[in-house]
Structures are given as structure tokens and as C-alpha cells.
PDB file of all heavy atoms in Angstrom:
ATOM      1  N   CYS A 230      11.680   0.718 -14.804  1.00 95.00           N
ATOM      2  CA  CYS A 230      12.316   0.222 -16.021  1.00 95.00           C
ATOM      3  C   CYS A 230      11.805  -1.187 -16.330  1.00 95.00           C
ATOM      4  O   CYS A 230      11.574  -1.988 -15.430  1.00 95.00           O
ATOM      5  CB  CYS A 230      13.833   0.238 -15.901  1.00 95.00           C
ATOM      6  SG  CYS A 230      14.534  -1.075 -14.878  1.00 95.00           S
ATOM      7  N   SER A 231      11.637  -1.463 -17.609  1.00 95.00           N
ATOM      8  CA  SER A 231      11.141  -2.770 -18.028  1.00 95.00           C
ATOM      9  C   SER A 231      12.137  -3.885 -17.741  1.00 95.00           C
ATOM     10  O   SER A 231      11.743  -5.046 -17.659  1.00 95.00           O
ATOM     11  CB  SER A 231      10.830  -2.747 -19.534  1.00 95.00           C
ATOM     12  OG  SER A 231       9.888  -1.758 -19.847  1.00 95.00           O
ATOM     13  N   HIS A 232      13.400  -3.543 -17.620  1.00 95.00           N
ATOM     14  CA  HIS A 232      14.442  -4.570 -17.467  1.00 95.00           C
ATOM     15  C   HIS A 232      14.483  -5.166 -16.064  1.00 95.00           C
ATOM     16  O   HIS A 232      14.633  -6.379 -15.903  1.00 95.00           O
ATOM     17  CB  HIS A 232      15.814  -3.980 -17.807  1.00 95.00           C
ATOM     18  CG  HIS A 232      15.928  -3.508 -19.219  1.00 95.00           C
ATOM     19  ND1 HIS A 232      16.794  -2.505 -19.610  1.00 95.00           N
ATOM     20  CD2 HIS A 232      15.274  -3.897 -20.340  1.00 95.00           C
ATOM     21  CE1 HIS A 232      16.667  -2.299 -20.916  1.00 95.00           C
ATOM     22  NE2 HIS A 232      15.758  -3.127 -21.375  1.00 95.00           N
ATOM     23  N   HIS A 233      14.371  -4.306 -15.041  1.00 95.00           N
ATOM     24  CA  HIS A 233      14.519  -4.784 -13.660  1.00 95.00           C
ATOM     25  C   HIS A 233      13.337  -4.427 -12.754  1.00 95.00           C
ATOM     26  O   HIS A 233      13.333  -4.786 -11.579  1.00 95.00           O
ATOM     27  CB  HIS A 233      15.799  -4.202 -13.042  1.00 95.00           C
ATOM     28  CG  HIS A 233      17.054  -4.621 -13.732  1.00 95.00           C
ATOM     29  ND1 HIS A 233      17.659  -3.840 -14.701  1.00 95.00           N
ATOM     30  CD2 HIS A 233      17.817  -5.736 -13.614  1.00 95.00           C
ATOM     31  CE1 HIS A 233      18.746  -4.449 -15.142  1.00 95.00           C
ATOM     32  NE2 HIS A 233      18.863  -5.600 -14.509  1.00 95.00           N
ATOM     33  N   PHE A 234      12.347  -3.685 -13.300  1.00 95.00           N
ATOM     34  CA  PHE A 234      11.236  -3.187 -12.494  1.00 95.00           C
ATOM     35  C   PHE A 234      11.729  -2.305 -11.342  1.00 95.00           C
ATOM     36  O   PHE A 234      11.105  -2.240 -10.285  1.00 95.00           O
ATOM     37  CB  PHE A 234      10.382  -4.339 -11.943  1.00 95.00           C
ATOM     38  CG  PHE A 234       9.351  -4.837 -12.926  1.00 95.00           C
ATOM     39  CD1 PHE A 234       9.469  -4.601 -14.280  1.00 95.00           C
ATOM     40  CD2 PHE A 234       8.246  -5.552 -12.484  1.00 95.00           C
ATOM     41  CE1 PHE A 234       8.534  -5.062 -15.185  1.00 95.00           C
ATOM     42  CE2 PHE A 234       7.285  -6.023 -13.375  1.00 95.00           C
ATOM     43  CZ  PHE A 234       7.426  -5.784 -14.729  1.00 95.00           C
ATOM     44  N   CYS A 235      12.854  -1.640 -11.533  1.00 95.00           N
ATOM     45  CA  CYS A 235      13.352  -0.680 -10.559  1.00 95.00           C
ATOM     46  C   CYS A 235      12.758   0.699 -10.881  1.00 95.00           C
ATOM     47  O   CYS A 235      12.495   1.011 -12.048  1.00 95.00           O
ATOM     48  CB  CYS A 235      14.876  -0.602 -10.596  1.00 95.00           C
ATOM     49  SG  CYS A 235      15.708  -2.036  -9.881  1.00 95.00           S
ATOM     50  N   PRO A 236      12.582   1.549  -9.872  1.00 95.00           N
ATOM     51  CA  PRO A 236      11.955   2.849 -10.114  1.00 95.00           C
ATOM     52  C   PRO A 236      12.739   3.726 -11.089  1.00 95.00           C
ATOM     53  O   PRO A 236      13.975   3.693 -11.135  1.00 95.00           O
ATOM     54  CB  PRO A 236      11.926   3.489  -8.725  1.00 95.00           C
ATOM     55  CG  PRO A 236      11.959   2.337  -7.775  1.00 95.00           C
ATOM     56  CD  PRO A 236      12.810   1.300  -8.432  1.00 95.00           C
ATOM     57  N   VAL A 237      12.000   4.497 -11.858  1.00 96.00           N
ATOM     58  CA  VAL A 237      12.527   5.577 -12.691  1.00 96.00           C
ATOM     59  C   VAL A 237      11.760   6.821 -12.259  1.00 96.00           C
ATOM     60  O   VAL A 237      10.544   6.895 -12.418  1.00 96.00           O
ATOM     61  CB  VAL A 237      12.304   5.311 -14.190  1.00 96.00           C
ATOM     62  CG1 VAL A 237      12.753   6.526 -15.018  1.00 96.00           C
ATOM     63  CG2 VAL A 237      13.026   4.055 -14.636  1.00 96.00           C
ATOM     64  N   ILE A 238      12.461   7.778 -11.682  1.00 96.00           N
ATOM     65  CA  ILE A 238      11.811   8.974 -11.150  1.00 96.00           C
ATOM     66  C   ILE A 238      12.481  10.210 -11.741  1.00 96.00           C
ATOM     67  O   ILE A 238      13.714  10.328 -11.713  1.00 96.00           O
ATOM     68  CB  ILE A 238      11.874   9.004  -9.614  1.00 96.00           C
ATOM     69  CG1 ILE A 238      11.164   7.772  -9.040  1.00 96.00           C
ATOM     70  CG2 ILE A 238      11.239  10.282  -9.065  1.00 96.00           C
ATOM     71  CD1 ILE A 238      11.231   7.648  -7.541  1.00 96.00           C
ATOM     72  N   GLY A 239      11.663  11.099 -12.272  1.00 96.00           N
ATOM     73  CA  GLY A 239      12.262  12.270 -12.902  1.00 96.00           C
ATOM     74  C   GLY A 239      11.253  13.371 -13.162  1.00 96.00           C
ATOM     75  O   GLY A 239      10.190  13.433 -12.542  1.00 96.00           O
ATOM     76  N   LYS A 240      11.610  14.233 -14.108  1.00 97.00           N
ATOM     77  CA  LYS A 240      10.775  15.383 -14.445  1.00 97.00           C
ATOM     78  C   LYS A 240      10.670  15.508 -15.960  1.00 97.00           C
ATOM     79  O   LYS A 240      11.580  15.129 -16.699  1.00 97.00           O
ATOM     80  CB  LYS A 240      11.358  16.661 -13.848  1.00 97.00           C
ATOM     81  CG  LYS A 240      11.396  16.653 -12.316  1.00 97.00           C
ATOM     82  CD  LYS A 240      11.858  17.965 -11.750  1.00 97.00           C
ATOM     83  CE  LYS A 240      11.947  17.902 -10.233  1.00 97.00           C
ATOM     84  NZ  LYS A 240      10.644  17.583  -9.597  1.00 97.00           N
ATOM     85  N   VAL A 241       9.532  16.044 -16.382  1.00 97.00           N
ATOM     86  CA  VAL A 241       9.254  16.238 -17.808  1.00 97.00           C
ATOM     87  C   VAL A 241       8.878  17.690 -18.048  1.00 97.00           C
ATOM     88  O   VAL A 241       8.136  18.289 -17.258  1.00 97.00           O
ATOM     89  CB  VAL A 241       8.106  15.311 -18.269  1.00 97.00           C
ATOM     90  CG1 VAL A 241       7.584  15.721 -19.636  1.00 97.00           C
ATOM     91  CG2 VAL A 241       8.567  13.862 -18.306  1.00 97.00           C
ATOM     92  N   TRP A 242       9.402  18.252 -19.128  1.00 97.00           N
ATOM     93  CA  TRP A 242       9.003  19.582 -19.596  1.00 97.00           C
ATOM     94  C   TRP A 242       8.377  19.424 -20.971  1.00 97.00           C
ATOM     95  O   TRP A 242       8.911  18.709 -21.829  1.00 97.00           O
ATOM     96  CB  TRP A 242      10.199  20.523 -19.692  1.00 97.00           C
ATOM     97  CG  TRP A 242      10.819  20.886 -18.381  1.00 97.00           C
ATOM     98  CD1 TRP A 242      10.580  22.002 -17.631  1.00 97.00           C
ATOM     99  CD2 TRP A 242      11.809  20.139 -17.650  1.00 97.00           C
ATOM    100  NE1 TRP A 242      11.346  21.989 -16.498  1.00 97.00           N
ATOM    101  CE2 TRP A 242      12.101  20.860 -16.480  1.00 97.00           C
ATOM    102  CE3 TRP A 242      12.464  18.921 -17.883  1.00 97.00           C
ATOM    103  CZ2 TRP A 242      13.030  20.414 -15.543  1.00 97.00           C
ATOM    104  CZ3 TRP A 242      13.378  18.464 -16.949  1.00 97.00           C
ATOM    105  CH2 TRP A 242      13.657  19.211 -15.790  1.00 97.00           C
ATOM    106  N   ILE A 243       7.253  20.101 -21.189  1.00 97.00           N
ATOM    107  CA  ILE A 243       6.526  19.995 -22.450  1.00 97.00           C
ATOM    108  C   ILE A 243       6.395  21.378 -23.057  1.00 97.00           C
ATOM    109  O   ILE A 243       5.909  22.311 -22.405  1.00 97.00           O
ATOM    110  CB  ILE A 243       5.123  19.396 -22.230  1.00 97.00           C
ATOM    111  CG1 ILE A 243       5.241  17.999 -21.600  1.00 97.00           C
ATOM    112  CG2 ILE A 243       4.347  19.330 -23.542  1.00 97.00           C
ATOM    113  CD1 ILE A 243       3.913  17.451 -21.106  1.00 97.00           C
ATOM    114  N   GLY A 244       6.841  21.518 -24.291  1.00 95.00           N
ATOM    115  CA  GLY A 244       6.705  22.774 -25.026  1.00 95.00           C
ATOM    116  C   GLY A 244       5.709  22.604 -26.161  1.00 95.00           C
ATOM    117  O   GLY A 244       5.783  21.628 -26.920  1.00 95.00           O
ATOM    118  N   VAL A 245       4.780  23.537 -26.276  1.00 93.00           N
ATOM    119  CA  VAL A 245       3.758  23.470 -27.315  1.00 93.00           C
ATOM    120  C   VAL A 245       3.747  24.782 -28.094  1.00 93.00           C
ATOM    121  O   VAL A 245       3.720  25.865 -27.498  1.00 93.00           O
ATOM    122  CB  VAL A 245       2.355  23.217 -26.704  1.00 93.00           C
ATOM    123  CG1 VAL A 245       1.288  23.231 -27.790  1.00 93.00           C
ATOM    124  CG2 VAL A 245       2.330  21.897 -25.948  1.00 93.00           C
ATOM    125  N   MET A 246       3.787  24.671 -29.398  1.00 91.00           N
ATOM    126  CA  MET A 246       3.604  25.823 -30.277  1.00 91.00           C
ATOM    127  C   MET A 246       2.251  25.677 -30.958  1.00 91.00           C
ATOM    128  O   MET A 246       2.103  24.912 -31.919  1.00 91.00           O
ATOM    129  CB  MET A 246       4.723  25.907 -31.317  1.00 91.00           C
ATOM    130  CG  MET A 246       4.587  27.098 -32.257  1.00 91.00           C
ATOM    131  SD  MET A 246       4.614  28.706 -31.418  1.00 91.00           S
ATOM    132  CE  MET A 246       6.353  28.829 -31.035  1.00 91.00           C
ATOM    133  N   PRO A 247       1.219  26.361 -30.438  1.00 86.00           N
ATOM    134  CA  PRO A 247      -0.139  26.167 -30.967  1.00 86.00           C
ATOM    135  C   PRO A 247      -0.357  26.913 -32.278  1.00 86.00           C
ATOM    136  O   PRO A 247       0.437  27.757 -32.685  1.00 86.00           O
ATOM    137  CB  PRO A 247      -1.014  26.743 -29.854  1.00 86.00           C
ATOM    138  CG  PRO A 247      -0.161  27.804 -29.235  1.00 86.00           C
ATOM    139  CD  PRO A 247       1.262  27.316 -29.324  1.00 86.00           C
ATOM    140  N   ASN A 248      -1.453  26.572 -32.920  1.00 80.00           N
ATOM    141  CA  ASN A 248      -1.936  27.346 -34.058  1.00 80.00           C
ATOM    142  C   ASN A 248      -3.429  27.560 -33.864  1.00 80.00           C
ATOM    143  O   ASN A 248      -4.003  27.139 -32.859  1.00 80.00           O
ATOM    144  CB  ASN A 248      -1.629  26.638 -35.388  1.00 80.00           C
ATOM    145  CG  ASN A 248      -2.261  25.260 -35.461  1.00 80.00           C
ATOM    146  OD1 ASN A 248      -3.458  25.093 -35.238  1.00 80.00           O
ATOM    147  ND2 ASN A 248      -1.445  24.256 -35.767  1.00 80.00           N
ATOM    148  N   GLU A 249      -4.084  28.210 -34.792  1.00 75.00           N
ATOM    149  CA  GLU A 249      -5.491  28.557 -34.603  1.00 75.00           C
ATOM    150  C   GLU A 249      -6.400  27.332 -34.533  1.00 75.00           C
ATOM    151  O   GLU A 249      -7.521  27.404 -34.033  1.00 75.00           O
ATOM    152  CB  GLU A 249      -5.963  29.473 -35.726  1.00 75.00           C
ATOM    153  CG  GLU A 249      -5.876  28.855 -37.117  1.00 75.00           C
ATOM    154  CD  GLU A 249      -6.308  29.830 -38.203  1.00 75.00           C
ATOM    155  OE1 GLU A 249      -5.453  30.618 -38.652  1.00 75.00           O
ATOM    156  OE2 GLU A 249      -7.489  29.792 -38.572  1.00 75.00           O
ATOM    157  N   HIS A 250      -5.894  26.185 -35.012  1.00 74.00           N
ATOM    158  CA  HIS A 250      -6.696  24.955 -34.980  1.00 74.00           C
ATOM    159  C   HIS A 250      -6.333  24.048 -33.800  1.00 74.00           C
ATOM    160  O   HIS A 250      -6.959  23.013 -33.618  1.00 74.00           O
ATOM    161  CB  HIS A 250      -6.513  24.181 -36.287  1.00 74.00           C
ATOM    162  CG  HIS A 250      -6.819  24.985 -37.510  1.00 74.00           C
ATOM    163  ND1 HIS A 250      -8.083  25.449 -37.801  1.00 74.00           N
ATOM    164  CD2 HIS A 250      -6.008  25.424 -38.517  1.00 74.00           C
ATOM    165  CE1 HIS A 250      -8.054  26.136 -38.939  1.00 74.00           C
ATOM    166  NE2 HIS A 250      -6.810  26.140 -39.389  1.00 74.00           N
ATOM    167  N   THR A 251      -5.334  24.446 -33.026  1.00 75.00           N
ATOM    168  CA  THR A 251      -4.884  23.619 -31.914  1.00 75.00           C
ATOM    169  C   THR A 251      -5.941  23.547 -30.821  1.00 75.00           C
ATOM    170  O   THR A 251      -6.531  24.570 -30.449  1.00 75.00           O
ATOM    171  CB  THR A 251      -3.576  24.187 -31.326  1.00 75.00           C
ATOM    172  OG1 THR A 251      -2.550  24.130 -32.317  1.00 75.00           O
ATOM    173  CG2 THR A 251      -3.133  23.382 -30.105  1.00 75.00           C
ATOM    174  N   ASN A 252      -6.170  22.353 -30.307  1.00 75.00           N
ATOM    175  CA  ASN A 252      -7.061  22.206 -29.157  1.00 75.00           C
ATOM    176  C   ASN A 252      -6.320  22.610 -27.892  1.00 75.00           C
ATOM    177  O   ASN A 252      -5.155  22.275 -27.704  1.00 75.00           O
ATOM    178  CB  ASN A 252      -7.532  20.756 -29.034  1.00 75.00           C
ATOM    179  CG  ASN A 252      -8.409  20.341 -30.191  1.00 75.00           C
ATOM    180  OD1 ASN A 252      -9.176  21.139 -30.713  1.00 75.00           O
ATOM    181  ND2 ASN A 252      -8.297  19.092 -30.592  1.00 75.00           N
ATOM    182  N   VAL A 253      -6.986  23.359 -27.037  1.00 78.00           N
ATOM    183  CA  VAL A 253      -6.403  23.818 -25.783  1.00 78.00           C
ATOM    184  C   VAL A 253      -6.873  22.890 -24.667  1.00 78.00           C
ATOM    185  O   VAL A 253      -8.064  22.620 -24.538  1.00 78.00           O
ATOM    186  CB  VAL A 253      -6.822  25.270 -25.471  1.00 78.00           C
ATOM    187  CG1 VAL A 253      -6.239  25.725 -24.142  1.00 78.00           C
ATOM    188  CG2 VAL A 253      -6.386  26.195 -26.601  1.00 78.00           C
ATOM    189  N   ILE A 254      -5.929  22.397 -23.867  1.00 82.00           N
ATOM    190  CA  ILE A 254      -6.286  21.560 -22.723  1.00 82.00           C
ATOM    191  C   ILE A 254      -5.704  22.197 -21.461  1.00 82.00           C
ATOM    192  O   ILE A 254      -4.738  22.955 -21.519  1.00 82.00           O
ATOM    193  CB  ILE A 254      -5.793  20.111 -22.879  1.00 82.00           C
ATOM    194  CG1 ILE A 254      -4.272  20.044 -22.912  1.00 82.00           C
ATOM    195  CG2 ILE A 254      -6.388  19.477 -24.125  1.00 82.00           C
ATOM    196  CD1 ILE A 254      -3.711  18.626 -22.970  1.00 82.00           C
TER     197      ILE A 254
END
């Protein structure tokens, strides 16, 4: 965290709805 420089530990979920022009990574 920017306030105290204490750790922030967690998880992220990412949802993508592609289309025919979407770049795939």
C-alpha cells in the first residue's frame, strides 16, 4: 500500500470477451 508500504497480497480474476479483431495473448 502507498500509505504505509505494508504488503497487499491477493488474487485477481480476469474475464475477456474477445471479438474477431481481438489480439490473443
Side-chain angles (χ1 to χ4, degrees):
C230 76
S231 302
H232 298 153
H233 298 96
F234 276 20
C235 287
V237 175
I238 300 177
K240 297 185 183 300
V241 167
W242 293 264
I243 301 169
V245 177
M246 180 60 75
N248 59 52
E249 61 182 86
H250 305 294
T251 297
N252 294 325
V253 178
I254 64 176

